[in-house]
Amino acid sequence: MFKFHLPLLLWMIAQFASAADPLPPPSASDVAKWGKVIAAFEKADSTKMPPKNGILFIGSSSIRRWKTLSEDFPNHPVYNRGFGGSQIADSLHFTDRIVLPYKPRQIVMFAGTNDLNVDKSPRQVLADFIAFTQRIHRHLPKTRISWIAITPSFKRWSQIDRVRKTNRIVAEFCASDPRLDYLDTAAKMLAPDGKPRPDIFVSDGLHLNAKGYALWTEIVRPFLK
């Protein structure tokens, strides 16, 4: 069984914690790729700013496509800043523009699947997540960050071993800080045969349908503060 080496994990945490600011400058390709969508968020903010002390959902397309957040969590001030195809590093790049201005009391993140799909290792995914959490907590030390487990999907089933390793080491990291949550959605997304449940995905075998989001809602709701 894969197990993350605890001293190495603690060393990684210390490295990011001791850095003056782990935010790397956006590359030209990042700006070109995401400039329009980030600008669209900012334009929406200029019309109606999300409530401070709210709950920010951020990450890749499974967050972007979650169109029923307000209906699913009617008793919470939730809002969506997901952008499809993004990696953890992309959310990190743009924290100054689409995270920190809102001063959220909680961030719910789903990311990592696109990172693994471009051959980042589980440890690199963890390192990027650590960098994200450290940047947020440097500016917003009381903000809770909740990680939704990487999805075991049909389309990327060949990556399942790395998905499981990544989920395992991220869960171990989350257990090291009371401000972090690991939301284990993955277990309930599998059928009795151990493969992804066909009834919770759209036809592409990667993204969730309404039943899939209902399953996520059931798991996420108890963690919202």
Side-chain angles (χ1 to χ4, degrees), residues 70 76 81 96 98 106 148 160 184:
S70 297
H76 298 281
R81 291 296 180 268
D96 284 345
I98 61 167
Q106 184 171 4
I148 297 177
I160 189 60
D184 185 9

Side-chain angles (χ1 to χ4, degrees), residues 72-89:
D72 293 338
F73 306 109
N75 298 320
H76 298 281
V78 297
Y79 51 100
N80 192 322
R81 291 296 180 268
F83 46 116
S86 63
Q87 300 176 37
I88 299 169

